[in-house]
Amino acid sequence: MRNSFGVNVLPSVLRQSDLRRAWCRGKRTITPAQRVWTRYLLILWGKHLGGDDSPGGCVNVIGRLMIRTDWSQQQADRIVEVVNSLHEQGYEGDELFKRSRELIIPGTSAASIIALAKESDDAAFVEKVMSRAIKRDSPIRDVAIKRYCDRKSPQDIARQINHFTGCDIQYARKRVIWCEEILEEEMYYAIKREMEEEYSPVAA
């Protein structure tokens, strides 16, 4: 899965649109809440494939509350608002998750509305989707591995590109950010499509 050359093609990319044309299906629009949800699944994927323990911050909690087959933009915005508010009050980790769930979905209805699969199953699911949605030799996939499995920051990846190509670090960092944005957009639609196929009723 690892490709040591993927990100090193980024200095030759002049525009984000060029990156999209070469490696994906063009411009896709997602909301901030959808980005958070997708990022959470990518964190799970990287945690299990890379063996790292991700911190239980807001992104993780928001993502856990959004693990379901269907949720509206209004519900998503409500989740983000509640979690951020509780985090500012000092709640963290499992305590933040439990308190957020109590406020967003009070009572026993939580079990029927939110489906929390085992993290390892979620990670395997994301890996399956990524193998179909993101080309193996793509710089976007390489950024995904470095960011979520190796836990590298965009600046770390930019320094690596600088080391191998001599490219200006800030120029490289901007292209790494482009890859992250495209990754989230492509994976969001690919994950939702896969979930819809898995949960669609079988024709009689």
PDB file of all heavy atoms in Angstrom, residues 143-162:
ATOM      1  N   VAL A 143      -0.655  10.906   0.739  1.00  0.00           N
ATOM      2  CA  VAL A 143      -0.921  11.876   1.805  1.00  0.00           C
ATOM      3  C   VAL A 143      -1.806  11.243   2.872  1.00  0.00           C
ATOM      4  O   VAL A 143      -1.579  11.422   4.074  1.00  0.00           O
ATOM      5  CB  VAL A 143      -1.580  13.156   1.237  1.00  0.00           C
ATOM      6  CG1 VAL A 143      -2.180  14.003   2.361  1.00  0.00           C
ATOM      7  CG2 VAL A 143      -0.559  13.982   0.460  1.00  0.00           C
ATOM      8  N   ALA A 144      -2.808  10.476   2.465  1.00  0.00           N
ATOM      9  CA  ALA A 144      -3.690   9.807   3.426  1.00  0.00           C
ATOM     10  C   ALA A 144      -2.896   8.892   4.350  1.00  0.00           C
ATOM     11  O   ALA A 144      -3.092   8.897   5.579  1.00  0.00           O
ATOM     12  CB  ALA A 144      -4.755   9.002   2.681  1.00  0.00           C
ATOM     13  N   ILE A 145      -1.982   8.116   3.799  1.00  0.00           N
ATOM     14  CA  ILE A 145      -1.172   7.192   4.598  1.00  0.00           C
ATOM     15  C   ILE A 145      -0.270   7.956   5.555  1.00  0.00           C
ATOM     16  O   ILE A 145      -0.172   7.630   6.745  1.00  0.00           O
ATOM     17  CB  ILE A 145      -0.338   6.282   3.668  1.00  0.00           C
ATOM     18  CG1 ILE A 145      -1.269   5.356   2.878  1.00  0.00           C
ATOM     19  CG2 ILE A 145       0.674   5.469   4.473  1.00  0.00           C
ATOM     20  CD1 ILE A 145      -0.589   4.641   1.730  1.00  0.00           C
ATOM     21  N   LYS A 146       0.379   8.982   5.029  1.00  0.00           N
ATOM     22  CA  LYS A 146       1.297   9.753   5.872  1.00  0.00           C
ATOM     23  C   LYS A 146       0.570  10.511   6.975  1.00  0.00           C
ATOM     24  O   LYS A 146       1.040  10.606   8.100  1.00  0.00           O
ATOM     25  CB  LYS A 146       2.123  10.707   4.995  1.00  0.00           C
ATOM     26  CG  LYS A 146       3.186   9.993   4.170  1.00  0.00           C
ATOM     27  CD  LYS A 146       3.913  10.950   3.243  1.00  0.00           C
ATOM     28  CE  LYS A 146       5.132  10.296   2.626  1.00  0.00           C
ATOM     29  NZ  LYS A 146       4.835   9.052   1.902  1.00  0.00           N
ATOM     30  N   ARG A 147      -0.602  11.059   6.657  1.00  0.00           N
ATOM     31  CA  ARG A 147      -1.356  11.851   7.634  1.00  0.00           C
ATOM     32  C   ARG A 147      -1.990  10.973   8.706  1.00  0.00           C
ATOM     33  O   ARG A 147      -1.906  11.269   9.893  1.00  0.00           O
ATOM     34  CB  ARG A 147      -2.454  12.663   6.930  1.00  0.00           C
ATOM     35  CG  ARG A 147      -1.972  13.862   6.183  1.00  0.00           C
ATOM     36  CD  ARG A 147      -1.532  14.995   7.095  1.00  0.00           C
ATOM     37  NE  ARG A 147      -2.662  15.715   7.676  1.00  0.00           N
ATOM     38  CZ  ARG A 147      -2.813  15.948   8.976  1.00  0.00           C
ATOM     39  NH1 ARG A 147      -1.932  15.492   9.837  1.00  0.00           N
ATOM     40  NH2 ARG A 147      -3.838  16.641   9.429  1.00  0.00           N
ATOM     41  N   TYR A 148      -2.654   9.893   8.283  1.00  0.00           N
ATOM     42  CA  TYR A 148      -3.475   9.140   9.223  1.00  0.00           C
ATOM     43  C   TYR A 148      -2.818   7.869   9.759  1.00  0.00           C
ATOM     44  O   TYR A 148      -3.134   7.460  10.879  1.00  0.00           O
ATOM     45  CB  TYR A 148      -4.824   8.809   8.568  1.00  0.00           C
ATOM     46  CG  TYR A 148      -5.655  10.050   8.353  1.00  0.00           C
ATOM     47  CD1 TYR A 148      -5.717  10.668   7.096  1.00  0.00           C
ATOM     48  CD2 TYR A 148      -6.354  10.642   9.396  1.00  0.00           C
ATOM     49  CE1 TYR A 148      -6.471  11.821   6.901  1.00  0.00           C
ATOM     50  CE2 TYR A 148      -7.096  11.792   9.215  1.00  0.00           C
ATOM     51  CZ  TYR A 148      -7.148  12.379   7.971  1.00  0.00           C
ATOM     52  OH  TYR A 148      -7.882  13.523   7.783  1.00  0.00           O
ATOM     53  N   CYS A 149      -1.949   7.244   8.989  1.00  0.00           N
ATOM     54  CA  CYS A 149      -1.255   6.047   9.482  1.00  0.00           C
ATOM     55  C   CYS A 149       0.074   6.407  10.144  1.00  0.00           C
ATOM     56  O   CYS A 149       0.387   5.899  11.231  1.00  0.00           O
ATOM     57  CB  CYS A 149      -1.014   5.059   8.344  1.00  0.00           C
ATOM     58  SG  CYS A 149      -2.533   4.443   7.588  1.00  0.00           S
ATOM     59  N   ASP A 150       0.833   7.274   9.507  1.00  0.00           N
ATOM     60  CA  ASP A 150       2.139   7.671  10.049  1.00  0.00           C
ATOM     61  C   ASP A 150       2.043   8.870  10.981  1.00  0.00           C
ATOM     62  O   ASP A 150       3.034   9.239  11.617  1.00  0.00           O
ATOM     63  CB  ASP A 150       3.107   8.003   8.897  1.00  0.00           C
ATOM     64  CG  ASP A 150       3.346   6.816   7.981  1.00  0.00           C
ATOM     65  OD1 ASP A 150       3.105   5.672   8.414  1.00  0.00           O
ATOM     66  OD2 ASP A 150       3.764   7.025   6.831  1.00  0.00           O
ATOM     67  N   ARG A 151       0.855   9.505  11.041  1.00  0.00           N
ATOM     68  CA  ARG A 151       0.590  10.658  11.925  1.00  0.00           C
ATOM     69  C   ARG A 151       1.523  11.836  11.645  1.00  0.00           C
ATOM     70  O   ARG A 151       2.021  12.491  12.559  1.00  0.00           O
ATOM     71  CB  ARG A 151       0.675  10.239  13.393  1.00  0.00           C
ATOM     72  CG  ARG A 151      -0.232   9.106  13.795  1.00  0.00           C
ATOM     73  CD  ARG A 151      -1.707   9.472  13.718  1.00  0.00           C
ATOM     74  NE  ARG A 151      -2.032  10.579  14.610  1.00  0.00           N
ATOM     75  CZ  ARG A 151      -2.259  10.432  15.914  1.00  0.00           C
ATOM     76  NH1 ARG A 151      -2.188   9.241  16.482  1.00  0.00           N
ATOM     77  NH2 ARG A 151      -2.571  11.469  16.655  1.00  0.00           N
ATOM     78  N   LYS A 152       1.780  12.098  10.365  1.00  0.00           N
ATOM     79  CA  LYS A 152       2.603  13.239   9.957  1.00  0.00           C
ATOM     80  C   LYS A 152       1.722  14.471   9.756  1.00  0.00           C
ATOM     81  O   LYS A 152       0.599  14.361   9.253  1.00  0.00           O
ATOM     82  CB  LYS A 152       3.334  12.940   8.648  1.00  0.00           C
ATOM     83  CG  LYS A 152       4.205  11.693   8.668  1.00  0.00           C
ATOM     84  CD  LYS A 152       5.489  11.914   9.401  1.00  0.00           C
ATOM     85  CE  LYS A 152       6.428  10.720   9.231  1.00  0.00           C
ATOM     86  NZ  LYS A 152       7.620  10.855  10.077  1.00  0.00           N
ATOM     87  N   SER A 153       2.210  15.617  10.109  1.00  0.00           N
ATOM     88  CA  SER A 153       1.490  16.871   9.855  1.00  0.00           C
ATOM     89  C   SER A 153       1.736  17.298   8.408  1.00  0.00           C
ATOM     90  O   SER A 153       2.685  16.827   7.765  1.00  0.00           O
ATOM     91  CB  SER A 153       1.988  17.965  10.797  1.00  0.00           C
ATOM     92  OG  SER A 153       3.304  18.349  10.444  1.00  0.00           O
ATOM     93  N   PRO A 154       0.903  18.211   7.874  1.00  0.00           N
ATOM     94  CA  PRO A 154       1.181  18.732   6.525  1.00  0.00           C
ATOM     95  C   PRO A 154       2.577  19.326   6.409  1.00  0.00           C
ATOM     96  O   PRO A 154       3.234  19.174   5.372  1.00  0.00           O
ATOM     97  CB  PRO A 154       0.089  19.798   6.335  1.00  0.00           C
ATOM     98  CG  PRO A 154      -1.036  19.327   7.184  1.00  0.00           C
ATOM     99  CD  PRO A 154      -0.386  18.715   8.396  1.00  0.00           C
ATOM    100  N   GLN A 155       3.049  19.971   7.472  1.00  0.00           N
ATOM    101  CA  GLN A 155       4.394  20.553   7.458  1.00  0.00           C
ATOM    102  C   GLN A 155       5.459  19.455   7.385  1.00  0.00           C
ATOM    103  O   GLN A 155       6.463  19.602   6.681  1.00  0.00           O
ATOM    104  CB  GLN A 155       4.601  21.417   8.707  1.00  0.00           C
ATOM    105  CG  GLN A 155       5.834  22.295   8.662  1.00  0.00           C
ATOM    106  CD  GLN A 155       5.687  23.495   7.728  1.00  0.00           C
ATOM    107  OE1 GLN A 155       4.614  23.720   7.162  1.00  0.00           O
ATOM    108  NE2 GLN A 155       6.741  24.258   7.562  1.00  0.00           N
ATOM    109  N   ASP A 156       5.240  18.354   8.111  1.00  0.00           N
ATOM    110  CA  ASP A 156       6.184  17.222   8.069  1.00  0.00           C
ATOM    111  C   ASP A 156       6.278  16.652   6.656  1.00  0.00           C
ATOM    112  O   ASP A 156       7.375  16.352   6.160  1.00  0.00           O
ATOM    113  CB  ASP A 156       5.735  16.104   9.022  1.00  0.00           C
ATOM    114  CG  ASP A 156       5.847  16.496  10.477  1.00  0.00           C
ATOM    115  OD1 ASP A 156       6.679  17.367  10.806  1.00  0.00           O
ATOM    116  OD2 ASP A 156       5.098  15.920  11.300  1.00  0.00           O
ATOM    117  N   ILE A 157       5.122  16.492   6.033  1.00  0.00           N
ATOM    118  CA  ILE A 157       5.097  15.935   4.674  1.00  0.00           C
ATOM    119  C   ILE A 157       5.767  16.906   3.701  1.00  0.00           C
ATOM    120  O   ILE A 157       6.510  16.496   2.793  1.00  0.00           O
ATOM    121  CB  ILE A 157       3.652  15.625   4.234  1.00  0.00           C
ATOM    122  CG1 ILE A 157       3.005  14.639   5.210  1.00  0.00           C
ATOM    123  CG2 ILE A 157       3.633  15.048   2.814  1.00  0.00           C
ATOM    124  CD1 ILE A 157       1.512  14.438   4.988  1.00  0.00           C
ATOM    125  N   ALA A 158       5.515  18.188   3.889  1.00  0.00           N
ATOM    126  CA  ALA A 158       6.139  19.205   3.032  1.00  0.00           C
ATOM    127  C   ALA A 158       7.656  19.173   3.176  1.00  0.00           C
ATOM    128  O   ALA A 158       8.386  19.323   2.189  1.00  0.00           O
ATOM    129  CB  ALA A 158       5.598  20.591   3.379  1.00  0.00           C
ATOM    130  N   ARG A 159       8.141  18.962   4.390  1.00  0.00           N
ATOM    131  CA  ARG A 159       9.599  18.870   4.599  1.00  0.00           C
ATOM    132  C   ARG A 159      10.170  17.656   3.871  1.00  0.00           C
ATOM    133  O   ARG A 159      11.277  17.704   3.333  1.00  0.00           O
ATOM    134  CB  ARG A 159       9.910  18.772   6.093  1.00  0.00           C
ATOM    135  CG  ARG A 159       9.704  20.063   6.862  1.00  0.00           C
ATOM    136  CD  ARG A 159      10.344  19.988   8.238  1.00  0.00           C
ATOM    137  NE  ARG A 159       9.946  21.105   9.073  1.00  0.00           N
ATOM    138  CZ  ARG A 159       8.994  21.051   9.995  1.00  0.00           C
ATOM    139  NH1 ARG A 159       8.352  19.916  10.212  1.00  0.00           N
ATOM    140  NH2 ARG A 159       8.677  22.114  10.718  1.00  0.00           N
ATOM    141  N   GLN A 160       9.416  16.556   3.881  1.00  0.00           N
ATOM    142  CA  GLN A 160       9.872  15.370   3.160  1.00  0.00           C
ATOM    143  C   GLN A 160       9.958  15.643   1.665  1.00  0.00           C
ATOM    144  O   GLN A 160      10.923  15.256   0.999  1.00  0.00           O
ATOM    145  CB  GLN A 160       8.912  14.203   3.414  1.00  0.00           C
ATOM    146  CG  GLN A 160       9.283  12.947   2.630  1.00  0.00           C
ATOM    147  CD  GLN A 160       8.239  11.856   2.763  1.00  0.00           C
ATOM    148  OE1 GLN A 160       7.710  11.632   3.843  1.00  0.00           O
ATOM    149  NE2 GLN A 160       7.936  11.185   1.677  1.00  0.00           N
ATOM    150  N   ILE A 161       8.943  16.322   1.130  1.00  0.00           N
ATOM    151  CA  ILE A 161       8.954  16.669  -0.295  1.00  0.00           C
ATOM    152  C   ILE A 161      10.141  17.578  -0.597  1.00  0.00           C
ATOM    153  O   ILE A 161      10.840  17.405  -1.605  1.00  0.00           O
ATOM    154  CB  ILE A 161       7.624  17.350  -0.685  1.00  0.00           C
ATOM    155  CG1 ILE A 161       6.453  16.378  -0.515  1.00  0.00           C
ATOM    156  CG2 ILE A 161       7.684  17.866  -2.120  1.00  0.00           C
ATOM    157  CD1 ILE A 161       5.089  17.021  -0.651  1.00  0.00           C
ATOM    158  N   ASN A 162      10.392  18.528   0.286  1.00  0.00           N
ATOM    159  CA  ASN A 162      11.533  19.428   0.135  1.00  0.00           C
ATOM    160  C   ASN A 162      12.840  18.651   0.107  1.00  0.00           C
ATOM    161  O   ASN A 162      13.741  18.927  -0.704  1.00  0.00           O
ATOM    162  CB  ASN A 162      11.535  20.452   1.269  1.00  0.00           C
ATOM    163  CG  ASN A 162      12.838  21.223   1.381  1.00  0.00           C
ATOM    164  OD1 ASN A 162      13.712  20.872   2.180  1.00  0.00           O
ATOM    165  ND2 ASN A 162      12.978  22.271   0.586  1.00  0.00           N
TER     166      ASN A 162
END
